[in-house]
Amino acid sequence: MVVVTRIRREVLTLPAARLGADNPLPPLRPLDEVHRIDDRDREEMPRDMARQLGLEPLAGLLPVRVRDGYGRTREPRRVEALVIENDRLRATVLPGLGGRIASLLHLPTGRELLYRNPVFQPANFALNGAWYSGGIEWNIGATGHTTLSCAPLHAARVPAPDGGEMLRLWEWERLRDLPFQVDLWLPEGSDFLYVGARIRNPHERPVATYWWSNIAVPEDVRVLAPAEEAWFFGYERRLRRVPVPSYEGVDRTYPANSPYAADYFYEVPDGRRRWIAALDADGHGLVQTSTDVLRGRKLFVWGAGPGGRRWQQWLTEPGTGGYCEIQAGLARTQLEHVRLEAESEVSWLEAYGPLDAPPGGEWTEAVREAEGRLASALPRTRVEEAYAAWKPCADTEPAQTLAVGSGWGALEVLRADWKLPGTPFPESTLGEAQAPWRELLRTGSLPEPRRVRPPGETLVAPHWRDMLETAPATPHTEYHLGVAQWHAGDRAQAVRSWERALPLAPSLWPLLRCLAVADQEAGHHERAAERYADAFDDLCRERRDDGEVWTAAVAALGREALEALLRARRTAQARAVWDRLLPAVRQRGRFPLLHAELLLAEGSRARARAVFDEDFEVADLREGADVIGRLWARLGDEPLPGRYDFRMRPDPV
């Protein structure tokens, strides 16, 4: 038998915005995450669901940094891709951008089975900021889009269960300190892409984890799943059980029928095959199915309202078709985490392929017919057999490296001497970011920076915090120790560590900024504003050039300082901060909006309105945020212009 599966490199050229440098300020504030619910809704849900909703929610993003250095200017850029194909399907994978499957093309018909975004445009949807739409993404870590959305993953060729080749993707997920892998392969003659996925917990303690495979498809479809009920979640943060397909007299399985952005988590009965499909009016589309461990199925819609349409334009090019998302996860809803026992793993198999079935008419009949067509194209037993055949291959060592991810996994493996067959994290992947922590591990001391620059990343897991506590108490070590203590909830001790570092620290602004955040969280906004002003003064004296790293620091601290000073009504100091910002910084992120707010605070309502008339863009506008609308309402009674309307929920009654 000749196996025709091929894996090859390819370079895509896309209109793409630059990602830019990460925010160098440690994210000390509570996680800004939209997947939170009103506590009243817990009373009506199953016990296991209620328990998982409360299972170890993340308090913050540490040790991950915020990615907010991107903009809205797109230019043709080269994007490295890996292509896996047989004679039926071609999957295009972006290893440098979260390992996303950007395209799944059915070769006999020439049909694209996914929504393929024609541009790369980051937006503020991931837990740590930068995220982009389209394709199939792998969400691991915590409720929301993964912090690896725009990060490189390791990739390699691996022998497949049928003797051909698999494409393996793997990384170290830092929010939960867990390694994971995704194996892609195409059996000969198969219309279905197989995906074997595994999350491992090498720790001697249980860990909460999370997974949702997120599939973007064109929105002019009907979404079918084997369910009569769903858990409905909107941006009002209410979770309630609703009937499927119709809710409040409207068939919500047609994405265009929903007025606002919303999630529908389908309640698939126990024992029923797990699948979800999106079919167009002609009955053509994509189906996803899996082994039963991946129990959840979901439909996300942007809604037909002006805010949802604006977001669609924002994430791609105006004039292109819209999209919705069908998803599959480890729990009923995306609001839950699941428990992964000590020194254990969870794994499953997914399959993606074309499905032809009539989508219209009565719900039960449409689901029955689609399920029958799926059973003919890919019997449930075949998925189970493919999973059983893949499991022994999950530990197979990669044959050829195709892409390299981060060095954080290598650092953790070096520290604990873990054996993780199938997902190597070699010391050769350790880089500049890991170097000081490797030195701490080797010598017990955290080395001082060799040149003046913003501080590097802080590791906050208990084992690293313990090492920092026993290391020589230099100002640099005290800074990182304070960040780790803050993350652990010991805020008083964190403040003491930062205060101890101040008298001898060569750079004051990182410490002053941390203390300012501590003041804000404690309600001392006047003192926070004063510290922010001092921190920005010190940064402006210290910065060495206008390169990307220093510009990112000035932008990050400048934004926080402006917000704190405006909140404390220190308008003159806020103006002084604004005047020292570089022109390029004033145009990025939320700065145009902050400028309008500053002008309004100065009493210049007409000039603040003029900022809106200049048609600014808030490149890092957060999913679900209504800051633009609130400021506009302070300027007058006119309706919010459509270009600024990103509202994802109805106005309060």
Side-chain angles (χ1 to χ4, degrees):
M1 180 179 69
V2 177
V3 179
V4 297
T5 300
R6 298 174 297 277
I7 299 175
R8 57 182 170 84
R9 298 180 187 273
E10 190 172 282
V11 176
L12 309 179
T13 300
L14 298 175
R18 292 183 67 253
L19 273 173
D22 288 354
N23 187 324
L25 307 183
L28 301 176
R29 292 184 177 82
L31 189 64
D32 178 20
E33 217 290 287
V34 299
H35 295 94
R36 303 279 174 82
I37 68 166
D38 191 306
D39 285 339
R40 293 172 293 174
D41 296 332
R42 297 177 188 269
E43 300 173 2
E44 304 297 326
M45 61 184 61
R47 287 185 179 180
D48 63 329
M49 185 174 170
R51 183 174 62 253
Q52 291 180 166
L53 280 166
L55 181 63
E56 297 183 34
L58 289 181
L61 274 174
L62 287 165
V64 175
R65 282 187 164 180
V66 173
R67 309 202 75 172
D68 59 3
Y70 54 86
R72 298 279 304 165
T73 301
R74 296 194 288 264
E75 298 176 351
R77 301 184 193 278
R78 291 163 59 88
V79 179
E80 299 293 329
L82 297 171
V83 176
I84 177 170
E85 64 181 320
N86 62 5
D87 58 341
R88 310 291 295 176
L89 285 175
R90 178 187 301 146
T92 303
V93 181
L94 308 181
L97 294 170
R100 187 172 306 201
I101 300 177
S103 168
L104 186 61
L105 186 67
H106 187 235
L107 298 174
T109 61
R111 291 202 302 262
E112 174 60 63
L113 301 181
L114 307 174
Y115 169 74
R116 182 172 187 171
N117 197 334
V119 306
F120 172 70
Q121 177 56 65
N124 193 359
F125 278 73
L127 288 166
N128 63 332
W131 173 87
Y132 63 106
S133 65
I136 304 172
E137 62 174 313
W138 320 110
N139 287 306
I140 180 175
T143 53
H145 291 285
T146 177
T147 60
L148 296 166
S149 292
C150 294
L153 268 56
H154 301 280
R157 297 178 194 267
V158 182
D162 59 3
E165 290 186 324
M166 284 194 300
L167 174 60
R168 175 165 298 164
L169 306 165
W170 74 98
E171 242 307 350
W172 195 275
E173 200 289 307
R174 301 178 67 202
L175 293 180
R176 300 295 190 183
D177 259 343
L178 300 176
F180 72 97
Q181 73 187 76
V182 176
D183 288 353
L184 313 174
W185 81 101
L186 288 163
E188 181 185 6
S190 175
D191 278 310
F192 285 84
L193 173 69
Y194 288 169
V195 179
R198 174 168 66 167
I199 306 171
R200 287 191 276 198
N201 176 13
H203 302 282
E204 296 177 346
R205 55 180 170 79
V207 177
T209 192
Y210 168 95
W211 184 280
W212 281 81
S213 300
N214 183 0
I215 310 142
V217 293
E219 68 177 349
D220 53 347
V221 294
R222 191 184 197 190
V223 173
L224 302 177
E228 302 293 331
E229 292 182 312
W231 294 93
F232 169 77
F233 180 74
Y235 283 78
E236 311 93 314
R237 300 191 176 183
R238 296 299 308 275
L239 182 70
R240 52 191 179 272
R241 195 191 299 257
V242 300
V244 174
S246 294
Y247 167 52
E248 294 183 339
V250 177
D251 188 336
R252 305 301 176 103
T253 62
Y254 291 92
N257 287 350
S258 289
Y260 290 95
D263 298 326
Y264 298 89
F265 299 103
Y266 294 115
E267 186 69 71
V268 180
D270 290 342
R272 192 78 180 266
R273 185 175 187 179
R274 309 283 165 174
W275 63 274
I276 190 167
L279 304 175
D280 65 20
D282 295 325
H284 306 310
L286 171 82
V287 65
Q288 186 272 358
T289 187
S290 71
T291 49
D292 289 351
V293 166
L294 206 64
R295 66 170 299 178
R297 293 298 185 273
K298 169 193 164 181
L299 165 64
F300 166 77
V301 298
W302 283 106
R309 307 328 297 167
R310 184 72 183 102
W311 272 117
Q312 295 262 28
Q313 298 167 4
W314 186 256
L315 293 167
T316 182
E317 288 185 333
T320 59
Y323 75 95
C324 62
E325 294 169 357
I326 57 176
Q327 302 188 23
L330 286 174
R332 280 187 179 89
T333 73
Q334 277 183 317
L335 290 72
E336 303 167 65
H337 298 106
V338 298
R339 180 184 173 99
L340 189 55
E341 297 297 337
E343 298 179 330
S344 70
E345 64 180 50
V346 61
S347 62
W348 63 92
L349 186 127
E350 306 179 49
Y352 297 81
L355 184 69
D356 294 325
E362 196 270 331
W363 174 252
T364 303
E365 177 60 24
V367 170
R368 186 194 66 78
E369 182 65 24
E371 196 163 40
R373 301 280 184 97
L374 172 60
S376 296
L378 185 67
R380 188 176 186 178
T381 55
R382 192 182 302 168
V383 175
E384 298 289 346
E385 290 166 357
Y387 173 67
W390 167 73
K391 278 288 290 185
C393 300
D395 285 348
T396 303
E397 293 301 325
Q400 179 192 5
T401 299
L402 298 173
V404 178
S406 79
W408 296 113
L411 184 67
E412 293 300 330
V413 168
L414 183 65
R415 179 194 63 81
D417 194 29
W418 279 318
K419 308 302 180 187
L420 300 169
T423 54
F425 293 97
E427 288 191 45
S428 60
T429 61
L430 293 168
E432 183 180 1
Q434 295 83 39
W437 301 96
R438 184 184 190 182
E439 185 70 9
L440 174 64
L441 184 63
R442 188 177 67 85
T443 68
S445 298
L446 193 69
E448 291 295 308
R450 294 182 178 178
R451 62 184 188 275
V452 177
R453 62 180 305 173
E457 298 181 56
T458 303
L459 297 184
V460 296
H463 42 266
W464 292 108
R465 188 175 71 249
D466 290 346
M467 282 186 260
L468 289 170
E469 287 176 345
T470 57
T474 66
H476 186 61
T477 300
E478 294 279 23
Y479 162 79
H480 286 291
L481 175 58
V483 174
Q485 290 166 332
W486 181 272
H487 177 73
D490 193 350
R491 295 190 169 187
Q493 189 59 55
V495 168
R496 284 192 287 271
S497 294
W498 293 325
E499 289 177 339
R500 281 198 306 267
L502 273 175
L504 298 177
S507 296
L508 300 181
W509 65 267
L511 296 160
L512 290 170
R513 182 265 175 178
C514 289
L515 290 167
V517 173
D519 284 336
Q520 285 184 323
E521 292 297 302
H524 303 309
H525 297 291
E526 285 288 334
R527 190 167 66 191
E530 190 65 38
R531 278 179 161 155
Y532 265 121
D534 291 343
F536 193 74
D537 286 343
D538 187 65
L539 173 59
C540 289
R541 286 191 296 267
E542 182 176 282
R543 71 181 181 191
R544 293 298 187 263
D545 54 43
D546 297 331
E548 192 171 59
V549 172
W550 284 105
T551 298
V554 171
L557 186 59
R559 170 179 163 169
E560 290 188 11
L562 280 169
E563 291 171 340
L565 290 164
L566 287 170
R567 180 170 185 170
R569 303 184 188 279
R570 297 191 175 199
T571 308
Q573 286 178 294
R575 170 57 64 181
V577 170
W578 178 267
D579 288 343
R580 281 178 290 175
L581 295 174
L582 297 170
V585 170
R586 294 177 186 173
Q587 301 303 315
R588 64 187 281 173
R590 281 192 60 182
F591 282 102
L593 193 66
L594 285 170
H595 188 210
E597 190 173 352
L598 172 60
L599 290 167
L600 188 60
E602 292 173 331
S604 301
R605 185 180 298 271
R607 292 177 64 195
R609 170 60 189 263
V611 173
F612 278 83
D613 294 338
E614 292 170 3
D615 197 15
F616 66 83
E617 292 185 313
V618 181
D620 61 347
L621 184 66
R622 183 67 177 164
E623 172 190 12
D626 57 358
V627 290
I628 298 178
R630 290 202 308 268
L631 183 57
W632 175 263
R634 293 169 58 192
L635 295 174
D637 298 326
E638 296 180 38
L640 183 67
R643 65 184 182 277
Y644 297 127
D645 189 351
F646 293 88
R647 290 172 292 187
M648 299 175 74
R649 59 185 175 186
D651 293 329
V653 178

